[in-house]
Amino acid sequence: MSKLIEKDLKFVWHPYTQMKDCKKAPPILIEKARGIKLYDTNGNFYYDAISSWWCNIHGHNHPKIKKAIKKQLDSLEHVLFAGFTHKPAILLAEKLISIAPGNLTRVFFSDNGSTAVEVALKMSFQYWQNIGVNKKIKFVSLDNGYHGDTIGTMSVSGVDLFNKVFSPLFYSSFKAPSPYCYRCPINKDRMSCNIDCIGPLEKILKEKSTEIAAIILEPLVLCAGGMIIYPEEYLAKAASLAKRFNVHLIIDEVATGFGRTGKMFACEYVENLLPDFLCLSKGITAGYLPLGATLTTDKIYQAFYADYKEKKTFFHGHTFTANPLACATALASLEIFEEENVLERVRKILPFFHKTMEGFKDLPLVGDVRYLGLIAALELVKDKKTKQGFTFEEKVDFEIFRQGLKRNLLLRPLGGIVYFFLPLCIQRKELRDILGRAYSLIGSFSSLANLKRRR
Ligand SMILES: *Cc1c(COP(=O)(O)O)cnc(C)c1O
């Protein structure tokens, strides 16, 4: 073990990591990255098949992005954003408004995905207070939804494994079942259903809308909850329910934004979707620097616009709000989208990606295959008929992660759900190589017995 790793294990506490496992599987010391490959200090490479936790867009070490950061660094690294402003933030706000769906007209910056969501939740809440509707103080969200790790965002998340222990701290909110077609909450079949799983959400709104400030949703993909890809019709219906019952629609595109689903924003799959809030982070800087943004409408904005003595100000802000380096990076990334015709290039590669994913259905453990844009997931089950999944204790995710590394793949399954969350710069031959390696990896886990033997 290298000296540095020894120090890591002595001084560092890693996120989403049982540090006890690090004895057997110490973290990998990454030295550099190029395109979609990460290189460790021993000269091994790993395909970054999950975009370094869903944020990398144009690949690592992109010359244009590096240049933009260096140029910005020469003039201004940071300045507070209250009473002061700067060119990268102004131009980025203008640009985001120009590409955003619906009638979003204002950008509130922060510095990560959880804060982008917290801002939307607090703005929605305060909006109703500011206009004198004092009872709208709750939120509705989905089971298996995920909106961040702060206490406020955990309260509207639905991933028990991560959050249950903290539940006594949560404010009360309503949860609706998620549109999880492979494990349909009402035992219907997508081929014949009429999105009936929206029933419980409709019921909550019908009965409680006077208490509800907003619905919060990840559009089309419940990412951390298991890369659950759901029908556009559900999103369309949820959006129209929000309008009908006078509650805000908060669209959390922190993971799905910036082309990952094949469109700039996933909510563009639904025509005329009008979010009241759009939360952005992760891919906003192409994965180079932390930045969050919450976009909202003029209607919301106007409810805060008043004489100071009225106390309608949004008293919220983070030290690194709209960091100039991050904003300059985001602008460079959006220029790359245009200069390199990124979305068109992605669209060309998708049929090959999706067709190859279908091929995984042949494998004995693969119960479900789902995909949208550059996101795809394989849900592993012990028995395809009963759909019995793997238990938490079986640690298939840990095992697949470890075996994947041996095949130059960075995969980090969510329980029994193995997923790809690919950078937009991926080329066909890289994709073919990644999927070939993954196929043989999953194939080698062909029986649970086999899995046990490995351990
Ligand atoms: C990752 C994620 C967040 C939280 O972002 P952080 O930057 O990790 O705080 C919020 N919402 C969604 C949908 C995410 O995937």
Side-chain angles (χ1 to χ4, degrees), residues 53-54 111-117 146-150 153 217-219 221 223-224 252-256 279 281-282 291 421:
W53 257 355
W54 321 348
D111 53 19
N112 65 72
S114 303
T115 55
V117 173
Y146 174 83
H147 301 288
D149 283 349
T150 55
T153 57
L217 286 173
E218 293 163 272
V221 193
C223 297
D252 179 355
E253 291 251 15
V254 167
T256 51
C279 306
S281 188
K282 289 194 171 123
L291 182 68
F421 209 97

Side-chain angles (χ1 to χ4, degrees), residues 66-137:
K66 289 202 301 186
K67 203 170 141 202
I69 296 173
K70 286 176 183 167
K71 184 162 173 242
Q72 183 56 41
L73 192 56
D74 281 335
S75 55
L76 173 68
E77 81 299 336
H78 188 64
V79 64
L80 76 165
F81 207 59
F84 295 83
T85 191
H86 50 80
K87 189 170 161 189
I90 298 167
L91 295 184
L92 179 59
E94 179 189 34
K95 185 79 198 166
L96 290 173
I97 291 303
S98 78
I99 61 171
N103 34 27
L104 300 163
T105 54
R106 284 280 160 181
V107 181
F108 189 97
F109 288 109
S110 59
D111 53 19
N112 65 72
S114 303
T115 55
V117 173
E118 292 266 357
V119 165
L121 295 168
K122 284 179 67 176
M123 274 185 182
S124 171
F125 184 97
Q126 192 181 338
Y127 168 88
W128 298 111
Q129 302 300 310
N130 280 2
I131 66 163
V133 181
N134 301 321
K135 284 201 184 125
K136 280 172 150 320
I137 58 171

Side-chain angles (χ1 to χ4, degrees), residues 49-346:
I50 60 165
S51 297
S52 289
W53 257 355
W54 321 348
C55 63
N56 193 278
I57 297 278
H58 307 300
H60 298 272
N61 200 46
H62 195 293
K64 185 173 169 110
I65 296 186
K66 289 202 301 186
K67 203 170 141 202
I69 296 173
K70 286 176 183 167
K71 184 162 173 242
Q72 183 56 41
L73 192 56
D74 281 335
S75 55
L76 173 68
E77 81 299 336
H78 188 64
V79 64
L80 76 165
F81 207 59
F84 295 83
T85 191
H86 50 80
K87 189 170 161 189
I90 298 167
L91 295 184
L92 179 59
E94 179 189 34
K95 185 79 198 166
L96 290 173
I97 291 303
S98 78
I99 61 171
N103 34 27
L104 300 163
T105 54
R106 284 280 160 181
V107 181
F108 189 97
F109 288 109
S110 59
D111 53 19
N112 65 72
S114 303
T115 55
V117 173
E118 292 266 357
V119 165
L121 295 168
K122 284 179 67 176
M123 274 185 182
S124 171
F125 184 97
Q126 192 181 338
Y127 168 88
W128 298 111
Q129 302 300 310
N130 280 2
I131 66 163
V133 181
N134 301 321
K135 284 201 184 125
K136 280 172 150 320
I137 58 171
K138 293 182 180 174
F139 297 93
V140 191
S141 57
L142 296 182
D143 287 339
N144 300 305
Y146 174 83
H147 301 288
D149 283 349
T150 55
I151 292 174
T153 57
M154 280 197 301
S155 299
V156 290
S157 291
V159 185
D160 275 356
L161 172 64
F162 304 164
N163 299 338
K164 199 165 179 194
V165 61
F166 301 107
S167 60
L169 299 175
F170 298 171
Y171 51 81
S172 84
S173 71
F174 299 104
K175 288 263 160 16
S178 50
Y180 189 172
C181 296
Y182 180 60
R183 298 181 188 278
C184 176
I186 51 171
N187 287 314
K188 294 223 172 178
D189 189 325
R190 179 69 199 104
M191 289 312 175
S192 56
C193 86
N194 192 23
I195 314 289
D196 310 287
C197 62
I198 199 125
L201 178 64
E202 184 167 4
K203 186 163 181 281
I204 292 168
L205 289 170
K206 226 179 215 151
E207 291 170 3
K208 305 283 184 189
S209 70
T210 53
E211 300 169 33
I212 295 171
I215 301 180
I216 180 164
L217 286 173
E218 293 163 272
L220 302 189
V221 193
L222 306 177
C223 297
M227 296 297 160
I228 297 165
I229 294 168
Y230 67 86
E232 292 159 27
E233 293 89 334
Y234 184 95
L235 180 58
K237 286 190 181 205
S240 72
L241 286 174
K243 291 285 165 290
R244 197 168 114 210
F245 290 103
N246 194 29
V247 306
H248 293 143
L249 178 64
I250 302 175
I251 296 287
D252 179 355
E253 291 251 15
V254 167
T256 51
F258 300 98
R260 200 75 62 179
T261 65
K263 293 190 191 276
M264 191 53 117
F265 300 107
C267 62
E268 289 171 32
Y269 279 93
V270 172
E271 239 178 283
N272 299 322
L273 191 94
L274 299 174
D276 297 289
F277 298 93
L278 186 73
C279 306
L280 304 173
S281 188
K282 289 194 171 123
I284 193 172
T285 60
Y288 282 65
L289 288 166
L291 182 68
T294 309
L295 278 57
T296 191
T297 63
D298 192 52
K299 185 175 175 191
I300 305 279
Y301 177 75
Q302 291 302 335
F304 293 73
Y305 194 90
D307 290 331
Y308 192 74
K309 63 177 188 308
E310 287 186 55
K311 293 193 177 148
K312 289 185 173 176
T313 305
F314 189 55
F315 286 110
H316 183 111
H318 298 278
T319 308
F320 288 103
T321 295
N323 173 260
L325 295 168
C327 290
T329 309
L331 277 168
S333 169
L334 290 170
E335 277 171 26
I336 294 169
F337 268 97
E338 286 167 18
E339 288 168 11
E340 297 184 11
N341 278 322
V342 169
L343 292 177
E344 201 177 304
R345 195 180 62 212
V346 167

